[in-house]
Amino acid sequence: YRQVITVRDRTAPVFTMPTPADTTVNCDEIPDQPELTAEDNCSLADKVIVMPNEYKQTIPGACVNNYLLIRTWTALDECKNAVTVTQTITVVDTKAPYFTGTLPVDTTVNCHEVPDAPPVTASDNCSADNDVDVAYDEVRQDIPGACSNNYLLIRTWIATDQCGNRDTLTQTITVQDVTAPVFTTPAPANVTVECDQVPDQPDMTATDNCAGNVTVVKAETRIDSTCANTYRLIRTWTATDICGNYTTVTQTIIVADRTKPVFTTPMPNDTTVDCNAIPIPPVVEATDNCAGAITVDFEEERTDIPGACANNYRLLRTWTADDGCGNVTKVIQVINVRDTSAPIFDMPAPANATVNCDAIPVQVTLTASDNCSGSNNVTVVPAERRENIPGACVNNYRLIRTWTATDECNNSRVVTQVITVQDTTRPVFQLPVPVDTTVNCNAIPTQPDISATDNCSVTNRVNVEKAERREDIPGACVNNYRLIRTWTATDECNNSTVLTQVITVQDTTRPNFTMPVPANATVNCDAIPAQTDLSVTDNCTDSDDVTVVKSERREDIPGACVNNYRLIRTWTATDECG
């Protein structure tokens, strides 16, 4: 008798925690999707798979930031029985945008200083900045009882996001006219004139920083003195704008007979001349507005300059014109006598050059002459300074050589030679140097240290780096190869010399058995010993990589019975190179 029980798993898993409830959240407050666990009546807990999923579902007629998030969790057991739970999250955008950056504030400005509306930006918790619309509007509002240039500007910015949420920013600018008009022509300067030269009072114009006409009113007041031809004229001009702001300018004219003689010959200007180029004083003439003889006197005075050299001084030349009525005119010419010419070198400066660090030439001696000082009073001072080249090595630099020629008055001339010093020579290895060689695999020499010298860097500044790399020989066995050894000598300026040695490594030695071969023996046919295993060593190959092959062949003995024969046993040891 037999019973067959067919076991089937048809029951879906059961979630072990409640499904998150449906909810409504703002677009910037969406919670992460939690992990849910499930259990099954047949499968172990770690065999029940819970697969979360989420997709966005638009809401017909809603804005882009209002939508549904449909979240599902599907629990699946080992027999593909499944159960799914769902959570619906309604995402809404209910927050208005907010203005960012420096926002305009209420202010009071003059009528000609009304600022342009600044660019105002806004951000939103849901919409990107370029999806937030900022609308601008400006309204002028008159102030009751004020003049036309005093008013209010009401500026409004409205920020609206993609879902119609909006915020409003308002700025009130109080515009006022408190600045008086400005004359567009300069007021006539205060003057003193002869009695027959009183000018007419001119008309003047003015402008204002704000709109509207400007009225200019002129007036004149005379103040007499004891003499009829000596008096003052006080002239005023008053400019008034439409808001009552005004500006007044005044001119005072003194009328008198105070005119001095006037030179009719162009007067020489102050000048500076070299010590050997002093000009001859010219003859000058003068005239006067009144009758009478004019006398012109001339005098010249030399004034030494304290602390200056002998060839540096001043000549003061004075011409005095006198009309005989107490009105005197003087002109003074100051001639600064200077030794301003620098000495001149008698030979050209050496040309700029580029040399190696061990071939720097000696600085030559130069001589110079001067237009005022004798040759023995001209000094030539040579100088030299080292100038490092940014980013260059210590042996690459410039030598700046100068020669300064100076005369008695410290006029000087400088010539310069730039010597660019460079290190372009490579280091040299000291002998003897290793040569190429061939060695057995167990006789590879140690790579020696080799020193090098340089024409610019001292020996302990020359760096020698040695390196070694293995180079397999195509078709050769593993123990036949080349060792490429290099020595790189580098000086302080990265000039380098490379020395190379090639060592050809080869394996020509056979393996050795480490135990004696069994001796020849004669045995009965039922006492033949088993063939033993033999161990070996090799100078290049590890023992485990040496192959030992043993073999046996039967050799019949002529004329003997069938059970009389020989067994020839051999052991062949072969290393990796055959």
Side-chain angles (χ1 to χ4, degrees):
Y1 176 78
R2 183 170 68 133
Q3 179 188 28
V4 177
I5 299 176
T6 301
V7 180
R8 289 191 176 89
D9 181 1
R10 295 177 178 174
T11 302
V14 176
F15 284 96
T16 59
M17 56 181 65
T19 305
D22 293 347
T23 185
T24 299
V25 299
N26 214 304
C27 54
D28 57 349
E29 298 172 348
I30 299 171
D32 293 333
Q33 184 170 3
E35 294 182 357
L36 299 184
T37 58
E39 60 184 14
D40 189 66
N41 63 325
C42 295
S43 299
L44 297 175
D46 61 349
K47 298 296 185 179
V48 178
I49 299 172
V50 177
M51 296 178 292
N53 187 37
E54 177 184 274
Y55 64 91
K56 177 177 177 178
Q57 181 176 305
T58 58
I59 301 173
C63 73
V64 68
N65 293 324
N66 290 353
Y67 55 90
L68 300 179
L69 276 183
I70 310 301
R71 290 178 170 175
T72 62
W73 292 263
T74 300
L76 189 68
D77 65 15
E78 291 174 292
C79 291
K80 307 304 180 184
N81 298 302
V83 63
T84 298
V85 296
T86 301
Q87 176 194 26
T88 299
I89 299 177
T90 303
V91 180
V92 297
D93 179 3
T94 61
K95 293 182 181 179
Y98 56 91
F99 289 98
T100 59
T102 303
L103 303 181
V105 296
D106 293 347
T107 185
T108 299
V109 300
N110 215 316
C111 53
H112 67 293
E113 296 174 339
V114 178
D116 293 334
V120 175
T121 59
S123 296
D124 188 66
N125 64 323
C126 297
S127 299
D129 288 352
N130 57 0
D131 290 326
V132 178
D133 177 66
V134 179
Y136 169 73
D137 186 43
E138 179 180 279
V139 176
R140 170 176 170 148
Q141 180 177 309
D142 292 333
I143 301 173
C147 72
S148 61
N149 290 326
N150 291 351
Y151 56 91
L152 302 178
L153 278 182
I154 311 300
R155 290 177 170 175
T156 304
W157 292 265
I158 299 176
T160 307
D161 66 15
Q162 292 173 292
C163 288
N165 301 304
R166 54 193 283 176
D167 190 16
T168 301
L169 172 66
T170 301
Q171 178 192 31
T172 299
I173 300 177
T174 302
V175 182
Q176 58 186 11
D177 181 1
V178 295
T179 303
V182 177
F183 283 96
T184 57
T185 52
N190 296 336
V191 294
T192 299
V193 298
E194 295 289 325
C195 56
D196 59 347
Q197 297 175 351
V198 178
D200 293 333
Q201 184 172 6
D203 293 328
M204 297 181 64
T205 58
T207 61
D208 193 59
N209 63 323
C210 300
N213 295 327
V214 177
T215 303
V216 179
V217 176
K218 61 182 180 179
E220 178 181 273
T221 301
R222 172 173 172 153
I223 302 173
D224 292 326
S225 65
T226 56
C227 176
N229 290 327
T230 301
Y231 56 89
R232 289 187 180 88
L233 287 180
I234 310 300
R235 291 176 172 176
T236 61
W237 292 262
T238 302
T240 307
D241 66 15
I242 61 174
C243 287
N245 301 300
Y246 66 91
T247 300
T248 298
V249 296
T250 301
Q251 179 194 28
T252 300
I253 300 177
I254 299 175
V255 182
D257 183 4
R258 297 179 180 176
T259 303
K260 295 181 180 182
V262 176
F263 286 99
T264 58
T265 304
M267 300 307 298
N269 296 322
D270 293 347
T271 186
T272 298
V273 298
D274 216 343
C275 55
N276 57 352
I278 300 172
I280 297 173
V283 176
V284 298
E285 297 178 351
T287 188
D288 190 65
N289 65 327
C290 299
I294 306 296
T295 60
V296 179
D297 295 326
F298 170 77
E299 63 178 346
E300 179 180 272
E301 178 185 3
R302 171 179 169 146
T303 302
D304 291 330
I305 301 172
C309 71
N311 292 326
N312 286 355
Y313 57 91
R314 292 188 187 93
L315 284 180
L316 301 181
R317 291 178 172 177
T318 305
W319 290 264
T320 304
D322 189 343
D323 66 2
C325 294
N327 296 310
V328 175
T329 300
K330 287 186 178 183
V331 293
I332 299 175
Q333 179 191 27
V334 179
I335 299 178
N336 292 303
V337 181
R338 295 284 186 269
D339 179 3
T340 59
S341 297
I344 297 174
F345 283 94
D346 301 327
M347 60 191 74
N352 295 340
T354 298
V355 300
N356 214 309
C357 54
D358 55 354
I360 300 171
V362 175
Q363 186 169 6
V364 300
T365 300
L366 299 182
T367 59
S369 302
D370 189 65
N371 64 328
C372 296
S373 301
S375 297
N376 58 344
N377 290 326
V378 178
T379 59
V380 178
V381 177
E384 178 183 273
R385 64 182 174 85
R386 171 175 171 151
E387 180 182 87
N388 291 329
I389 300 172
C393 72
V394 69
N395 292 326
N396 287 356
Y397 55 91
R398 286 186 282 266
L399 285 180
I400 312 301
R401 289 181 171 175
T402 59
W403 293 261
T404 303
T406 307
D407 65 15
E408 291 176 293
C409 288
N410 287 324
N411 298 304
S412 62
R413 188 182 304 274
V414 179
V415 294
T416 302
Q417 177 193 29
V418 178
I419 298 178
T420 302
V421 181
Q422 58 185 11
D423 179 3
T424 60
T425 303
R426 300 179 179 182
V428 176
F429 283 100
Q430 293 182 320
L431 299 175
V433 296
V435 297
D436 294 348
T437 185
T438 298
V439 299
N440 213 310
C441 55
N442 59 344
I444 301 171
T446 302
Q447 184 171 4
D449 293 325
I450 304 176
S451 59
T453 59
D454 188 67
N455 65 324
C456 297
S457 301
V458 295
T459 301
N460 60 358
R461 295 290 178 86
V462 178
N463 180 45
V464 179
E465 293 186 358
K466 58 185 182 180
E468 178 182 275
R469 63 182 175 84
R470 172 176 171 150
E471 181 182 89
D472 291 332
I473 300 172
C477 72
V478 69
N479 292 324
N480 288 355
Y481 55 91
R482 297 185 192 92
L483 285 179
I484 312 300
R485 288 180 172 176
T486 60
W487 292 260
T488 302
T490 306
D491 63 17
E492 293 173 289
C493 289
N494 286 326
N495 298 305
S496 62
T497 301
V498 178
L499 174 66
T500 303
Q501 178 193 30
V502 178
I503 299 177
T504 302
V505 180
Q506 58 186 10
D507 181 3
T508 59
T509 304
R510 300 179 181 183
N512 291 317
F513 286 99
T514 59
M515 53 195 308
V517 179
N520 295 337
T522 299
V523 299
N524 212 313
C525 58
D526 58 355
I528 300 171
Q531 186 171 2
T532 62
D533 292 325
L534 298 182
S535 59
V536 295
T537 60
D538 189 69
N539 64 326
C540 298
T541 304
D542 290 339
S543 296
D544 293 342
D545 292 325
V546 178
T547 304
V548 179
V549 178
K550 59 184 180 180
S551 62
E552 179 182 274
R553 64 182 174 85
R554 174 174 171 154
E555 182 181 86
D556 291 333
I557 299 172
C561 70
V562 70
N563 288 326
N564 288 350
Y565 54 88
R566 296 187 189 90
L567 287 178
I568 310 301
R569 290 177 171 176
T570 59
W571 291 261
T572 302
T574 306
D575 64 16
E576 291 175 292
C577 287

